[in-house]
Structure formats: structure tokens, C-alpha cells
Amino acid sequence: AVAFAFTTLQKLVDTLGEAQPWVATSIGPLAVGVRERGMTVLLDPRVARGRHNWQPADVAAYARKVR
């Protein structure tokens, strides 16, 4: 499994769109967390065009579900 990480919010938005659930963290805790789960981090990834990304309705539905 791979965790996407972006060096700026603008890079995240440019790559995945504005409606993305995200969390800001420093690289240290992120690296520890993904390593504990056997994952790797892909920094500032490029994503193929046309792939589904979260839409505003997806984020709203998720927020309702986790409340």
C-alpha cells in the first residue's frame, strides 16, 4: 500500500482536485505511521487523468458517516 503525501496544499489540489479529505502532518509522524503498517510514502505523486477523485458530495457523505 502507498500513502500519497504532498509538499503543499496547492500541489494536492492541482493533482487530486479541491474536494479531498486530507490531514496536515509533519513527515516524521507520517513516516512512522506508514512504516508501522508496512506502507510507503509517495511524495507529490502524479495521477493519471480521468481517474476518479473525491467530489464535494463524496466528502459530505463521508462527513455524515463518521460523525
Side-chain angles (χ1 to χ4, degrees), residues 4 6-20 22 44-51 53:
F4 285 0
F6 294 89
T7 53
T8 68
L9 178 57
Q10 190 60 52
K11 286 183 180 183
L12 180 146
V13 170
D14 290 347
T15 302
L16 299 176
E18 292 184 15
Q20 302 307 307
W22 60 275
D44 293 328
R46 293 184 184 182
V47 177
R49 294 196 183 276
R51 304 221 29 189
N53 296 309

Side-chain angles (χ1 to χ4, degrees), residues 1 4 9 15 17 19 21 24 32-33 35 37 39 43 45 47 50 52 54 56 62-63 66:
F4 285 0
L9 178 57
T15 302
V32 169
R35 182 176 50 238
R37 289 161 183 79
M39 300 170 65
L43 190 61
V47 177
H52 174 73
W54 288 62
Y62 178 75
V66 297

